[in-house]
């Protein structure tokens, strides 16, 4: 294990030596990377490699840290409630649900019901064409609450989607739909899985980045 300082951050580097000539870096956790390098690669070369990719490592680490911290609760006070996302656009609370005479607890409960219904509606509308393209059919589709997952696919082809997806732009919702439908045939994240996802949505990585950057804002 190597420790390398980038700006004010310490990067933990787990190095795996192997045959071959290629070097690769993958992110495991915030400020922690795995480096696969040819046998005999010196610590100095590995440090140079990490420093060369320092900006990307720090940026992705910050996004991963935000994702791990989970969604940030909003303020429901009349003067400070701010904006709430729906399909990637911001709305005042009263534009989404009735607010007159309701407590914060009632507002939050009603808003959650609104998002559950919207997520179910949007998923129902958008999933059909992708089922046809991928030639798959889930056994069931449910909308759930999850602090960490945007969607899931069980071994028996049951799909679930996080109600907070209703806050994301339609193209990001499409990515999660495609992702989970592809899991019906590929239960892990191997190369075949990502090739299938990419065949339907070549720029899927930009949608992943959106969820990492904005996940904390997609909340009640």
């Amino acid at each position: 294990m190597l420790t390398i300082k980038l700006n004010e951050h310490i990067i933990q580097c787990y190095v795996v030596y192997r045959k071959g000539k290629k070097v690769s870096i993958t992110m495991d956790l915030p400020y922690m990377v795995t480096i696969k390098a040819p046998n005999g690669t010196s610590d100095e070369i590995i440090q140079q490699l990490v420093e060369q990719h320092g900006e990307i490592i720090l940026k992705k680490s910050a996004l991963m840290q935000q994702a791990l911290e989970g969604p940030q609760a909003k303020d429901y006070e009349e003067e400070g409630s701010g904006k709430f996302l729906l399909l990637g656009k911001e709305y005042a609370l009263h534009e989404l649900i009735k607010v007159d005479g309701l407590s914060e607890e009632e507002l939050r409960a009603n808003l959650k019901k609104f998002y559950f219904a919207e997520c179910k509606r949007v998923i129902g509308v958008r999933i059909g064409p992708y089922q046809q393209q991928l030639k798959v059919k889930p056994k069931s589709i449910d909308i759930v609450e999850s602090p960490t997952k945007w969607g899931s696919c069980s071994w028996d082809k049951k799909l679930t989607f996080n109600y907070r997806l209703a806050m994301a732009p339609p193209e990001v919702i499409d990515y999660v739909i495609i992702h989970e439908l592809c899991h019906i045939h590929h239960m892990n994240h191997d190369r075949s899985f990502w090739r299938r996802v990419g065949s339907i949505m070549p720029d899927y990585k930009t949608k992943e980045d959106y969820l990492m950057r904005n996940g904390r804002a997609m909340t009640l």
Side-chain angles (χ1 to χ4, degrees):
M1 180 78 73
L2 294 177
T3 58
I4 297 174
K5 189 172 183 180
L6 292 177
N7 296 341
E8 72 277 15
H9 297 285
I10 298 297
I11 309 300
Q12 301 289 339
C13 306
Y14 177 67
V15 186
V16 178
Y17 297 100
R18 59 182 181 175
K19 296 180 180 179
K21 298 180 180 180
K22 293 184 178 180
V23 180
S24 66
I25 301 178
T26 56
M27 296 286 300
D28 302 314
L29 290 169
Y31 310 105
M32 182 176 292
V33 300
T34 294
I35 300 172
K36 295 180 180 179
N39 291 326
T41 303
S42 67
D43 291 352
E44 290 77 13
I45 291 177
I46 291 173
Q47 180 163 345
Q48 289 175 9
L49 183 68
V50 172
E51 290 174 348
Q52 287 172 6
H53 294 81
E55 184 176 348
I56 295 174
I57 291 172
L58 292 177
K59 180 179 178 181
K60 287 191 174 182
S61 291
L63 292 174
M64 291 176 73
Q65 187 68 50
Q66 287 182 359
L68 289 172
E69 289 173 357
Q72 187 174 23
K74 293 185 181 293
D75 182 2
Y76 282 73
E77 291 182 9
E78 189 171 340
E79 297 299 325
S81 58
K83 298 291 184 177
F84 292 81
L85 289 168
L86 177 63
L87 299 180
K89 297 181 179 179
E90 291 186 329
Y91 295 87
L93 185 58
H94 72 269
E95 295 179 289
L96 302 179
I97 62 172
K98 295 181 179 180
V99 299
D100 294 340
L102 298 179
S103 66
E104 178 175 332
E105 184 177 350
E106 290 170 326
L107 289 171
R108 192 183 298 273
N110 289 352
L111 187 60
K112 182 180 287 189
K113 290 179 183 178
F114 169 82
Y115 279 123
F116 262 90
E118 279 298 297
C119 189
K120 183 177 182 178
R121 181 188 68 80
V122 173
I123 296 291
V125 168
R126 304 187 75 86
I127 198 170
Y130 295 119
Q131 288 183 199
Q132 294 178 5
Q133 282 183 268
L134 292 163
K135 295 180 173 58
V136 295
K137 185 176 181 180
K139 185 175 181 180
S140 64
I141 301 170
D142 291 313
I143 310 302
V144 301
E145 181 174 5
S146 172
T148 56
K149 293 183 178 181
W150 295 108
S152 68
C153 174
S154 66
W155 63 271
D156 54 353
K157 303 180 182 179
K158 294 180 180 180
L159 303 189
T160 64
F161 295 96
N162 192 326
Y163 79 92
R164 292 192 292 121
L165 270 180
M167 304 176 193
E171 63 272 17
V172 175
I173 298 174
D174 287 352
Y175 160 65
V176 179
I177 289 173
I178 292 167
H179 186 115
E180 300 311 330
L181 286 175
C182 286
H183 272 316
I184 290 178
H185 284 324
H186 305 278
M187 286 305 293
N188 54 22
H189 292 98
D190 58 12
R191 290 183 180 179
S192 297
F193 170 80
W194 289 115
R195 279 198 297 267
R196 196 71 181 112
V197 172
S199 71
I200 304 297
M201 181 174 280
D203 64 341
Y204 68 87
K205 288 186 178 180
T206 65
K207 312 305 188 293
E208 286 189 323
D209 288 343
Y210 179 92
L211 291 171
M212 288 187 69
R213 290 195 312 270
N214 299 285
R216 292 196 74 211
M218 293 165 59
T219 184
L220 298 184

